[in-house]
Amino acid sequence: MGNILGRFIIIGFFSTFINYLTFNISYTISGNIILSSYLGYFIGLINSFVFGKKWVFNIQNKISFFKKFLYFIIYFIGGTIMTFIISKLQFIGMNYKLAWFIGLNFSVANNFLCSKYFIFNKDN
């Protein structure tokens, strides 16, 4: 478990960096917090899926269409929660970067637990 969690954290940091970079660039260009939050999250999501399957959870066989679909649904829910938190915190006056960081924490727990127990388990 510790090794899986460690690899998940490493990929999580990398995916989060991609997410944050995309979010920041998009927000700077568009000024739209919701669009930027979803866009960053989606780009980070793709990275997480690719490396999560192969490196974190060591799944060599093909992932079923249903599990891929479920993965995106689970992460969409996490992204929606994150975006909701970001937008509400920004609305009350919090800096958008700090709001992003707080929202991120709620999605990380969702993403790890659901990936481990529902998507990348040995019952593919």
Side-chain angles (χ1 to χ4, degrees):
M1 168 82 170
N3 200 19
I4 290 173
L5 183 58
R7 288 183 292 202
F8 184 84
I9 289 169
I10 291 168
I11 293 306
F13 276 121
F14 187 62
S15 296
T16 300
F17 174 74
I18 291 169
N19 174 341
Y20 184 68
L21 187 63
T22 304
F23 167 78
N24 239 345
I25 292 168
S26 176
Y27 186 71
T28 299
I29 293 169
S30 72
N32 186 321
I33 194 99
I34 293 173
L35 170 70
S36 301
S37 181
Y38 271 118
L39 182 62
Y41 194 81
F42 181 73
I43 299 299
L45 167 81
I46 292 170
N47 186 72
S48 292
F49 182 83
V50 170
F51 286 101
K53 177 185 182 283
K54 296 186 186 278
W55 190 61
V56 175
F57 297 104
N58 197 26
I59 302 298
Q60 301 303 320
N61 52 336
K62 188 172 180 155
I63 301 286
S64 70
F65 175 79
F66 174 74
K67 288 221 176 182
K68 287 177 185 174
F69 181 74
L70 185 59
Y71 178 86
F72 284 100
I73 295 297
I74 289 167
Y75 273 65
F76 178 78
I77 291 168
T80 298
I81 293 167
M82 181 178 174
T83 298
F84 176 79
I85 291 169
I86 291 168
S87 64
K88 293 303 173 191
L89 291 176
Q90 187 199 32
F91 180 75
I92 63 170
M94 184 178 286
N95 176 278
Y96 76 95
K97 292 178 183 180
L98 180 57
W100 178 88
F101 182 76
I102 292 170
L104 172 72
N105 286 292
F106 286 91
S107 70
V108 167
N110 172 71
N111 297 349
F112 176 73
L113 294 172
C114 290
S115 289
K116 179 169 176 41
Y117 294 109
F118 297 117
I119 308 302
F120 298 119
N121 57 31
K122 300 297 180 191
D123 299 328
N124 284 317

